[in-house]
Amino acid sequence: MPRGRSERTESRPTREDVAKLAKTSGTTVSRVLSGREFQISPEVRSRVLKAARELGYSPNAAATALRSGRSGMIGFWMCLGYSRYRSQVADQMQRILSDEGLAMAVTDADHEYIFEHSISRAMRLPVDGIIAFDAFAAAGAFTELHNGLPPNIPFVSMGAYWSPAYSYVGIDLKAGAEMATDHFISLGRRRLAYLAPWNSGLLTDGPRYEGFRDRAMEAGLEPKTIAVESSTVDSLEESFRELQSSGNLPDAIFFVNDDLAMDAVPALERMGLCAGRDVALVGFNGTEGTERGGVPISTVRQPIEEMCHLAFQFLQAQWDDPKSPVQQKLLKPELIVRASSGV
Amino acid sequence: MPRGRSERTESRPTREDVAKLAKTSGTTVSRVLSGREFQISPEVRSRVLKAARELGYSPNAAATALRSGRSGMIGFWMCLGYSRYRSQVADQMQRILSDEGLAMAVTDADHEYIFEHSISRAMRLPVDGIIAFDAFAAAGAFTELHNGLPPNIPFVSMGAYWSPAYSYVGIDLKAGAEMATDHFISLGRRRLAYLAPWNSGLLTDGPRYEGFRDRAMEAGLEPKTIAVESSTVDSLEESFRELQSSGNLPDAIFFVNDDLAMDAVPALERMGLCAGRDVALVGFNGTEGTERGGVPISTVRQPIEEMCHLAFQFLQAQWDDPKSPVQQKLLKPELIVRASSGV
DNA sequence: TTGTACGCGTTATCAG
DNA sequence: CTGATAACGCGTACAA
């Protein structure tokens, strides 16, 4: 279907095209389509609506954002990639923003070393604010970019990483790891291990490892680590069998995330071992699904809802008063004890 | 809200602010920061750079997009949410776009019934093109929105759903399901079942189910279905045990996705059964990870790379010539036979 | 090599 | 209720 009889080229129709077709002014077109309750005569309104449909008109987002100064979009920086936890967080944030009439644009917070590039790409989006979730270098890169100045766009980071220069809702992962480790110790477990994928960079580094290591050592125990190849039942089984054959299978394992802990149950079963009895397991994140199952998984639950709500509040504070001081809060996770750590 | 006259408020610095501080013109500022190779005297260049840093200036994305007509952003509509497959597709697309100097903004393609709302939210972003992946109602809603006109913004859908009115790279899921089913039959399996989560809407509907059902019936077999509660080992085990106790355990199961198939292996083991021997398994999507493992999973592999590359090419075609005809291609998946379907 | 001037498509203000 | 008109911040032809 060819475009209407106007002399326009094949480019996108503008407000004025609609106005001409509806025999009215551009202003009126905007008013009708704005959604807000203006006083418009029914005839004009319907003419505008008809013309807009006919031309397939939709407002130019860039122009709207430029003129109004707001886009109704929040940039959400996170690592795309397979994780139940991330998925839940994104979902929760989406829900909060949606309730506020805001939309969420997710941009990939790549890997650390190309973050500078990544950040400039993400900046190509007109957003009213930015929330960075578990984005390692986000806060740092942002600091770098603004050279110590307050950011010219509301920015909040949340999750595992943050920069002292900006608002954040952090999670005290180390405290979580300590809880899990203390839990093992109080249960009388003596051969503790911390398990993470070998290539995650989290095996012998980061707050989870540190919390585990410190508490284990304080208790006079050796803080062993287990590197796995990937997040699969088979990979776990392989690692466990190796340890078993060398007589080094732990009696308690703290996992870097719940997905691994959940897969460990069938892995142990294949070896004739019982999670909770032979080996105590504690996962991390408090992912949905850990509670269901033949062996419900003990886990260190992240306060996802609180984190997201707070992050949004911190953003709102910056809207209300651009020169308000940074707001920073460190949340503690919560240990949830279930069958997998021994009855 | 006081609009700054000559005296700036606390709002974001503009090009002119930088120009003033660097004692030059806005044009020069743009030229220096544009990245392109303009002839600028070293002194002026460094003054501009310094001033920009000092003010924490970054160009207004909306203004840039409005003026240039391009944002360098591609809107990627997909369902956020836990799935290895989706994750891989997003990653692949991100890579392709990144290589082209483009950025990707992911917006959640919600649930079907609120898609109209969802689409208008996504439209608030100035993007140079839109790729919709496995977004059920995207194509339909787009059609609705444009009332049969060519979309005023390059649009391509890819994956399981599409609209005949627009460019798409579809995947023939039904053909994939047929391959899997034929495979079972050729192996001599007679008690076939198709397994999906009960709440996915895919259990007795959609091309996967249809392909399975048709081929099973053509072979004179009863096309049974298995509804599971969730994607966990435990949930699968429960379903299997129920079937077993009523003497209805199939000897071949076709899964709606690989994640479920992978979890089925340990679930069967818990029951003393062996995947591949007692029950043949075929997954769906060809997810990374299916090939590794004690029992490598047979799967119907989606041509992720080809799909993404083609979708991008179709987008490019619309940039090169906005009135180019729609391009549509249906890709066939590929059956990959591994141990899980019986040696 | 640098600067001036215009307009991208929209929203907001202010007259009628 | 409706319609001119002035920005919003930037890219770029054109002039100097």
Side-chain angles (χ1 to χ4, degrees):
Chain A
M1 182 93 93
R3 218 171 276 301
R5 62 300 204 99
S6 81
E7 325 293 10
R8 300 284 310 165
T9 65
E10 282 305 323
S11 69
R12 231 179 119 162
T14 75
R15 197 183 64 162
E16 303 305 327
D17 296 322
V18 178
K20 209 168 294 172
L21 189 59
K23 300 197 194 318
T24 179
S25 73
T27 305
T28 302
V29 173
S30 284
R31 289 209 259 254
V32 170
L33 300 178
S34 76
R36 287 177 303 177
E37 292 295 323
F38 281 100
Q39 308 272 33
I40 311 270
S41 76
E43 302 115 286
V44 176
R45 177 181 298 267
S46 72
R47 284 215 309 276
V48 168
L49 255 24
K50 180 159 171 284
R53 283 197 78 76
E54 209 157 306
L55 295 176
Y57 168 79
S58 60
N60 180 308
T64 305
L66 174 58
R67 176 57 230 201
S68 70
R70 295 176 307 101
S71 63
M73 265 287 166
I74 303 300
F76 191 64
W77 295 359
M78 69 179 280
C79 177
L80 298 176
Y82 177 72
S83 153
R84 270 189 165 82
Y85 173 56
R86 287 196 199 115
S87 187
Q88 274 178 241
V89 172
D91 199 61
Q92 175 65 28
M93 193 46 100
Q94 162 87 10
R95 190 160 290 133
I96 291 172
L97 295 176
S98 188
D99 286 349
E100 300 280 337
L102 296 165
M104 186 172 98
V106 181
T107 49
D108 193 28
D110 282 329
H111 309 297
E112 174 191 359
Y113 50 92
I114 49 170
F115 203 87
E116 193 178 349
H117 184 61
S118 168
I119 204 176
S120 68
R121 275 201 320 242
M123 286 293 212
R124 295 206 288 227
L125 224 42
V127 290
D128 298 341
I130 294 169
I131 295 176
F133 163 57
D134 270 11
F136 178 68
F142 216 81
T143 308
E144 193 64 26
L145 183 70
H146 289 102
N147 204 27
L149 265 79
N152 52 33
I153 176 170
F155 178 89
V156 176
S157 59
M158 65 181 201
Y161 310 106
W162 57 83
S163 155
Y166 300 110
S167 289
Y168 64 78
V169 183
I171 296 188
D172 191 345
L173 301 183
K174 188 172 181 191
E178 290 170 354
M179 291 176 198
T181 313
D182 289 346
H183 177 55
F184 284 147
I185 294 170
S186 74
L187 290 170
R189 304 283 174 170
R190 308 290 297 169
R191 310 171 64 189
L192 313 186
Y194 166 67
L195 185 150
W198 68 271
N199 62 349
S200 65
L202 295 170
L203 187 58
T204 56
D205 198 18
R208 268 167 293 206
Y209 169 68
E210 287 168 12
F212 166 75
R213 181 200 57 198
D214 292 356
R215 288 306 168 100
M217 292 182 72
E218 283 169 23
L221 304 174
E222 189 185 354
K224 299 212 174 179
T225 59
I226 304 175
V228 291
E229 176 63 28
S230 65
S231 293
T232 62
V233 178
D234 296 298
S235 177
L236 286 165
E237 184 189 358
E238 195 187 320
S239 297
F240 292 162
R241 283 201 189 276
E242 251 174 49
L243 290 166
Q244 192 181 39
S245 65
S246 63
N248 288 317
L249 193 68
D251 60 8
I253 306 177
F254 171 49
F255 294 79
V256 72
N257 64 47
D258 288 325
D259 300 72
L260 282 162
M262 286 192 273
D263 284 344
V265 174
L268 289 169
E269 268 174 19
R270 288 179 180 180
M271 302 163 63
L273 298 174
C274 175
R277 191 193 60 202
D278 302 314
V279 185
L281 312 181
V282 172
F284 208 85
N285 285 339
T287 310
E288 202 186 313
T290 45
E291 73 278 17
R292 296 188 296 268
V295 180
I297 308 288
S298 298
T299 183
V300 177
R301 197 179 79 82
Q302 312 300 349
I304 294 182
E305 278 129 73
E306 192 182 358
M307 174 177 74
C308 291
H309 274 109
L310 266 178
F312 182 67
Q313 277 176 32
F314 287 5
L315 218 51
Q316 282 180 309
Q318 294 181 52
W319 288 326
D320 296 343
D321 174 14
K323 45 198 325 180
S324 62
V326 296
Q327 294 180 275
Q328 305 178 328
K329 175 125 187 178
L330 200 56
L331 301 178
K332 281 221 189 311
E334 173 194 6
L335 178 69
I336 300 182
V337 177
R338 300 203 184 98
S340 75
S341 50
V343 202
Chain B
M1 187 79 100
R3 216 163 274 311
R5 283 201 162 270
S6 52
E7 172 189 34
R8 305 284 315 163
T9 66
E10 281 305 322
S11 68
R12 239 181 111 162
T14 75
R15 195 182 64 163
E16 305 306 325
D17 295 323
V18 178
K20 210 168 293 171
L21 188 59
K23 300 195 193 317
T24 180
S25 72
T27 306
T28 303
V29 173
S30 284
R31 290 207 259 252
V32 169
L33 300 178
S34 76
R36 288 176 305 177
E37 292 296 324
F38 281 101
Q39 308 271 32
I40 311 269
S41 76
E43 302 115 287
V44 176
R45 178 181 296 268
S46 72
R47 283 216 310 277
V48 168
L49 255 24
K50 179 159 172 282
R53 284 197 78 76
E54 210 156 304
L55 295 176
Y57 169 79
S58 60
N60 180 310
T64 305
L66 174 59
R67 176 57 226 202
S68 69
R70 295 176 306 103
S71 63
M73 266 286 167
I74 303 300
F76 192 65
W77 294 359
M78 69 179 280
C79 177
L80 298 177
Y82 180 73
S83 153
R84 273 188 164 83
Y85 173 56
R86 286 194 200 117
S87 189
Q88 275 179 238
V89 173
D91 199 60
Q92 175 66 29
M93 192 48 97
Q94 162 87 13
R95 190 160 291 134
I96 291 173
L97 296 175
S98 188
D99 286 349
E100 301 280 337
L102 296 164
M104 186 171 97
V106 182
T107 48
D108 193 29
D110 282 329
H111 310 296
E112 174 190 0
Y113 49 92
I114 49 170
F115 203 87
E116 194 177 348
H117 185 60
S118 167
I119 204 175
S120 68
R121 275 200 322 240
M123 285 294 211
R124 294 205 288 223
L125 225 41
V127 289
D128 298 341
I130 294 169
I131 295 175
F133 163 57
D134 269 13
F136 179 69
F142 216 82
T143 308
E144 193 65 24
L145 183 70
H146 289 103
N147 203 28
L149 266 78
N152 53 32
I153 176 169
F155 177 88
V156 176
S157 59
M158 66 180 200
Y161 310 107
W162 58 81
S163 155
Y166 300 109
S167 290
Y168 63 78
V169 182
I171 295 189
D172 191 345
L173 301 183
K174 187 171 182 192
E178 290 170 354
M179 291 175 199
T181 313
D182 289 347
H183 177 55
F184 285 147
I185 295 169
S186 74
L187 290 171
R189 305 281 173 171
R190 309 289 297 167
R191 308 172 65 191
L192 313 186
Y194 166 67
L195 184 149
W198 68 271
N199 62 349
S200 66
L202 295 170
L203 187 59
T204 57
D205 198 20
R208 269 167 293 207
Y209 169 69
E210 287 169 11
F212 165 76
R213 181 200 57 197
D214 291 357
R215 288 305 168 99
M217 292 182 73
E218 283 169 23
L221 305 174
E222 190 185 352
K224 299 213 175 179
T225 60
I226 304 175
V228 291
E229 176 64 27
S230 65
S231 293
T232 62
V233 178
D234 295 297
S235 177
L236 286 164
E237 184 188 357
E238 193 187 322
S239 297
F240 292 162
R241 283 200 188 276
E242 251 174 49
L243 290 167
Q244 192 181 39
S245 65
S246 63
N248 287 317
L249 193 67
D251 60 8
I253 306 177
F254 171 49
F255 294 80
V256 72
N257 64 45
D258 289 324
D259 300 69
L260 283 161
M262 286 191 274
D263 284 343
V265 174
L268 288 169
E269 268 174 18
R270 289 180 179 180
M271 303 164 64
L273 298 173
C274 175
R277 190 193 62 202
D278 302 314
V279 185
L281 312 181
V282 172
F284 209 86
N285 285 339
T287 310
E288 203 186 312
T290 45
E291 74 279 17
R292 295 188 296 269
V295 181
I297 307 288
S298 298
T299 183
V300 177
R301 197 180 79 81
Q302 312 300 349
I304 294 182
E305 278 128 75
E306 192 182 359
M307 173 177 75
C308 290
H309 275 109
L310 266 177
F312 182 68
Q313 277 177 31
F314 288 4
L315 219 51
Q316 282 181 309
Q318 294 180 53
W319 288 326
D320 295 344
D321 174 13
K323 46 198 323 180
S324 62
V326 296
Q327 293 179 276
Q328 306 178 326
K329 175 124 187 178
L330 201 56
L331 300 178
K332 281 220 189 309
E334 173 194 7
L335 178 69
I336 300 182
V337 177
R338 300 203 185 97
S340 75
S341 51
V343 202

